[in-house]
Amino acid sequence: MTQIVVLPHVELCPDGALIDARPGESICQNLLENGIAIEHACEMSCACTTCHVIVREGFGALEASDEVEDDLLDKAWGLEPNSRLSCQAIVTDTPLVIEIPRYSINMAKEGKR
């Protein structure tokens, strides 16, 4: 197991979180399995940008993004050089520190007002 540090997010984890992540699974899968309800409107099929995260530490240990992910990331709110779609970034043995942006391109969230 490796760890993912999730920096505080006002709605999803106000105090931040430290989770034991399973290598070989995506960041998104690991977050969801540990009670962090990150948006994933396309059900992790790399068709939207709602699961966008910024990898603050450990970015270099992730496999490079492909052209489809890069094209989608261009539409993400708050894009940074170390941005990834969490559904496509597969966790390795290297610990990660991630930030979930405050906003996503998904203006209407189910169950939210």
Side-chain angles (χ1 to χ4, degrees):
M1 290 257 173
T2 190
Q3 293 187 320
I4 298 176
V5 174
V6 182
L7 298 176
H9 182 279
V10 173
E11 294 175 359
L12 301 178
C13 55
D15 297 325
L18 174 64
I19 63 173
D20 288 324
R22 288 194 279 192
E25 288 189 1
S26 70
I27 292 173
C28 188
Q29 289 169 308
N30 275 289
L31 294 176
L32 294 170
E33 289 169 3
N34 284 277
I36 300 174
I38 188 168
E39 288 187 68
H40 55 290
C42 71
E43 296 301 320
M44 297 182 267
S45 65
C46 194
C48 72
T49 63
T50 59
C51 71
H52 168 227
V53 296
I54 302 163
V55 182
R56 296 292 181 202
E57 292 180 24
F59 183 81
L62 299 172
E63 190 171 310
S65 57
D66 64 17
E67 188 174 330
V68 173
E69 181 181 355
D70 290 340
D71 287 346
L72 283 168
L73 279 169
D74 285 341
K75 301 173 187 174
W77 186 90
L79 182 68
E80 293 191 16
N82 51 342
S83 288
R84 289 297 304 266
L85 296 182
S86 66
C87 70
Q88 299 302 299
I90 304 301
V91 174
T92 64
D93 290 332
T94 302
L96 300 171
V97 176
I98 65 161
E99 179 180 348
I100 302 170
R102 174 76 170 100
Y103 302 103
S104 79
I105 198 168
N106 190 7
M107 300 305 274
K109 298 179 187 177
E110 291 183 31
K112 301 279 183 179
R113 291 184 183 217

